[in-house]
Amino acid sequence: METLPTELQTLVDLIERYPQLHARTLAKVEFKNYRYPVISVELGAKGCDVPCVLFVGGVHGVEVIGIQVIMALLESILSRLEWDSQLQLLLTKIKLAFVPIVNPVGLLNGTRCNGQRVDLMRNAPIEAETKVTFLVGGQKLSSHLPWYRGHQGVEQETQALIQYVEQLKTNSSSLISLDAHSGFGMTDHIWFPFAGSNRQIQSLGQIHYLEQLYHASYPHHRHYSFSPQSLIYRTHGDIWDYLATPKNDKSFLPLTLEMGSWSWVKKNPRQVFNFAGLFNPQKQHRQVRTLRKHTVLMHFLMDLAASRELENMNLELLLKQNSAALNRWFRC
């Protein structure tokens, strides 16, 4: 029997150890005669009238630190459930969902792409409305070049994530998602749609308010740069662009955490000679620091969802926040 990647085996072990986790296999991806599962787990409140927070990792298999950040949060929550009365109360108010490893074959191979050489974050069935960044924006020239979009339609892993998020949107009063990546710049970014358009996401005012609340609550953790991804670079086939396009009355805030891995390379230049080193801290103390660094943000999202502060924004506040966001990010 094929050995599972370490992080995937850890997830399987957690499911066996904690019966309160509701686990589902969203897809089974075949590679070299073995089928690797894409797994979701949920815990917390039931029903369609509660907010949900979704944590996603491993869309790009080589970005292991994103998987580890999500898994560290899940393990911490599970270990505290028996004694932490505040956490127990929180989980009566919200649903938590995790898809820590969207691309298990990429994780196995240490590659950005999946087993078909497709970049899943360029593979959703949506075309950019403006000119994209060359190659980086997604290409169909060759599967041997990075950022390959694929020629066979939507990949199994992409479709599994899309369907799962749509189900969460339907079965929750609101949804905040955080998709953890690494590999861009010196700064930690929080991006939101759109990556392939100048349009504004429906929840723009809520996202701007979320940032204000975060900075007010944690003034010493202001290391994130918030912006639409289109201000950084533009792409075809972004999964969150596709999911954010439908209009509905429910609050949906898709956020992408892009950890600035160049800072790790700057501190340890030898990482540049190791492909994984371009995306992940190679020193143990830096890895531990990174796992600790983003916990504040993730717990903030959980607390904010439970408060329903974003769901209950009145029209005056929403218009004010939307206007401020337009002036900040979309002024010509």
Side-chain angles (χ1 to χ4, degrees), residues 112-316:
R112 178 183 174 90
C113 59
N114 72 352
Q116 307 302 317
R117 298 178 180 266
V118 174
D119 186 329
L120 301 180
M121 198 47 76
R122 305 292 185 271
N123 180 241
I126 186 169
E127 298 290 318
E129 298 176 7
T130 60
K131 185 178 180 180
V132 302
T133 308
F134 180 65
L135 287 184
V136 174
Q139 54 82 21
K140 293 186 176 182
L141 300 173
S142 171
S143 63
H144 296 284
L145 294 173
W147 306 293
Y148 178 57
R149 298 181 62 194
H151 277 107
Q152 304 299 321
V154 179
E155 293 293 302
Q156 191 176 0
E157 303 94 328
T158 308
Q159 188 63 41
L161 180 60
I162 287 173
Q163 290 178 345
Y164 183 60
V165 175
E166 293 287 14
Q167 290 170 10
L168 291 178
K169 288 165 64 177
T170 299
N171 297 324
S172 308
S173 62
S174 64
L175 176 62
I176 299 174
S177 63
L178 185 71
D179 181 15
H181 291 257
S182 61
F184 182 86
M186 302 284 290
T187 303
D188 294 328
H189 293 265
I190 300 293
W191 290 336
F192 51 88
F194 290 92
S197 170
N198 293 323
R199 291 184 294 118
Q200 296 88 47
I201 188 172
Q202 185 176 354
S203 55
L204 181 66
Q206 291 172 307
I207 291 173
H208 191 267
Y209 189 40
L210 179 152
E211 181 197 17
Q212 285 193 330
L213 291 173
Y214 176 75
H215 286 161
S217 302
Y218 299 99
H220 303 298
H221 289 78
R222 297 173 64 103
H223 51 84
Y224 298 109
S225 175
F226 283 72
S227 76
Q229 188 178 329
S230 60
L231 295 186
I232 310 300
Y233 62 87
R234 301 187 180 189
T235 73
H236 295 293
D238 185 274
I239 292 173
W240 302 108
D241 274 22
Y242 179 77
L243 286 163
T245 298
K247 301 293 184 180
N248 57 62
D249 295 331
K250 291 192 176 181
S251 173
F252 176 44
L253 283 73
L255 308 176
T256 295
L257 166 60
E258 183 77 18
M259 290 173 272
S261 64
W262 297 0
S263 62
W264 304 322
V265 176
K266 179 181 178 182
K267 293 175 181 177
N268 184 21
R270 286 178 295 179
Q271 289 188 204
V272 77
F273 300 107
N274 175 0
F275 182 62
L278 298 174
F279 302 93
N280 305 285
Q282 301 293 285
K283 299 288 188 179
Q284 184 178 12
H285 69 278
R286 293 196 182 104
Q287 179 192 30
V288 171
R289 187 181 302 151
T290 303
L291 298 182
R292 185 172 62 238
K293 181 179 185 181
H294 302 290
T295 300
V296 169
L297 171 67
M298 294 187 290
H299 280 282
F300 166 78
L301 296 179
M302 293 160 51
D303 292 336
L304 182 61
S307 75
R308 301 199 181 214
E309 179 70 13
L310 299 181
E311 288 186 29
N312 296 328
M313 290 176 69
N314 61 49
L315 182 59
E316 180 181 1

Side-chain angles (χ1 to χ4, degrees), residues 21-38:
L21 278 177
H22 174 65
R24 291 172 51 193
T25 298
L26 305 180
K28 289 188 176 180
V29 183
E30 188 168 346
F31 182 73
K32 293 185 176 179
N33 299 318
Y34 190 79
R35 303 181 77 191
Y36 295 89
V38 178

